[in-house]
Amino acid sequence: MNDVLTLISFGPEGWGDEIVQGVLITVSLALATLPFGLVLGFLIALAKKSDEPSLRNAANIYTTIFRGLPELLTLFLVYYGVQIGIQEGLKLVGVEAYIEVNSFAAGMVALALVFSSYASEAFLSAFRGIPQGQYEGGYALGLSHRKTMGLVILPQLVRLSLPALGNLWLILLKETSLVSVVGLSDLVRQSGIAARVTKEPFLFFGVACLIYLVLAMISSAGLSRVEAWSKRGEVRR
């Protein structure tokens, strides 16, 4: 037992510092990805309900691609594809250089692409759950289309899409572990290094599992509070 406590302790003899650093990177990556994924997903949902066929087709192709590809392959395409693309572009102008993409940025982009493709469906379902009379009521009050969207539709959209978006956030939090394969020192990578060095894989991967469960429980509690707040104006029947 003392050996276990020593291994997970903080300081030169333990791996607690590295594990905490990995947790911070994992949470930072998820939080950095979330706003980009939400905004992009919302724009894709707007394109899907647009009257313009080209926008609808482009949005449908986008979601088909990134919902169909495994997340790990998407990460590899972004991480290695961007490097190759930049290097080939430089060669066209006569510059020979090796470019290495930041693994955090590549992970954020790849996860945002996948997250947005699923979030767009959550937003689209929420749009379909809002009666057409809500739009007509806003226009009848003299509100412009932009004000109707901002003051009437958007609050209802957030409330209706929150349960699905909450599930996507939990999935995103877990999928950050994929970025460890491109060298980002997240929780999984730090746990793997500690496991290899100490020959204690069960201990450190078990600790990683517990940390992910704690993060999920904290997220679930926070999402429950946000959902309750979003429903505060509903009339009880």
Side-chain angles (χ1 to χ4, degrees):
M1 184 63 181
N2 290 333
D3 292 340
V4 170
L5 294 176
T6 300
L7 288 174
I8 62 176
S9 65
F10 297 91
E13 297 183 357
W15 289 85
D17 300 315
E18 289 78 6
I19 297 298
V20 170
Q21 181 185 4
V23 173
L24 292 177
I25 291 177
T26 291
V27 175
S28 297
L29 178 59
L31 290 175
T33 302
L34 182 64
F36 291 103
L38 287 174
V39 172
L40 188 55
F42 179 72
L43 294 177
I44 295 168
L46 289 178
K48 283 191 170 186
K49 66 187 294 294
S50 171
D51 294 329
E52 177 60 42
S54 60
L55 285 177
R56 291 200 307 271
N57 291 334
N60 287 327
I61 291 171
Y62 177 94
T63 54
T64 299
I65 291 174
F66 291 110
R67 290 172 68 192
L69 287 177
E71 288 81 355
L72 188 58
L73 281 181
T74 302
L75 175 60
F76 286 155
L77 288 174
V78 172
Y79 184 70
Y80 296 109
V82 171
Q83 295 184 47
I84 295 171
I86 294 175
Q87 289 171 187
E88 292 299 320
L90 291 175
K91 284 181 181 179
L92 294 176
V93 295
V95 178
E96 291 284 344
Y98 174 74
I99 304 297
E100 185 172 354
V101 175
N102 180 273
S103 56
F104 187 97
M108 187 173 69
V109 171
L111 292 174
L113 292 174
V114 176
F115 182 90
S116 63
S117 64
Y118 287 98
S120 66
E121 295 298 319
F123 285 125
L124 188 60
S125 297
F127 271 123
R128 290 169 177 165
I130 299 174
Q132 184 63 30
Q134 298 291 317
Y135 295 88
E136 296 170 355
Y139 300 147
L141 292 173
L143 299 177
S144 64
H145 178 72
R146 179 175 296 181
K147 287 187 176 181
T148 299
M149 287 293 295
L151 299 176
V152 180
I153 303 303
L154 192 58
Q156 298 180 71
L157 186 74
V158 171
R159 176 175 56 82
L160 292 173
S161 61
L162 262 178
L165 293 177
N167 289 333
L168 291 178
W169 160 255
L170 293 175
I171 293 172
L172 171 64
L173 192 61
K174 293 181 292 183
E175 286 182 346
T176 56
S177 61
L178 297 174
V179 188
S180 62
V181 301
V182 293
L184 187 66
S185 299
D186 70 326
L187 175 57
V188 171
R189 182 172 177 81
Q190 295 287 39
S191 300
I193 294 172
R196 287 193 298 272
V197 172
T198 63
K199 304 296 190 295
E200 293 285 351
F202 185 79
L203 170 63
F204 286 102
F205 288 126
V207 169
C209 289
L210 290 175
I211 292 173
Y212 274 112
L213 286 174
V214 170
L215 292 175
M217 288 188 291
I218 293 172
S219 297
S220 296
L223 289 168
S224 297
R225 296 289 297 273
V226 172
E227 287 185 34
W229 174 81
S230 69
K231 296 178 181 178
R232 69 195 186 286
E234 288 187 357
V235 178
R236 297 182 179 275
R237 296 184 179 180

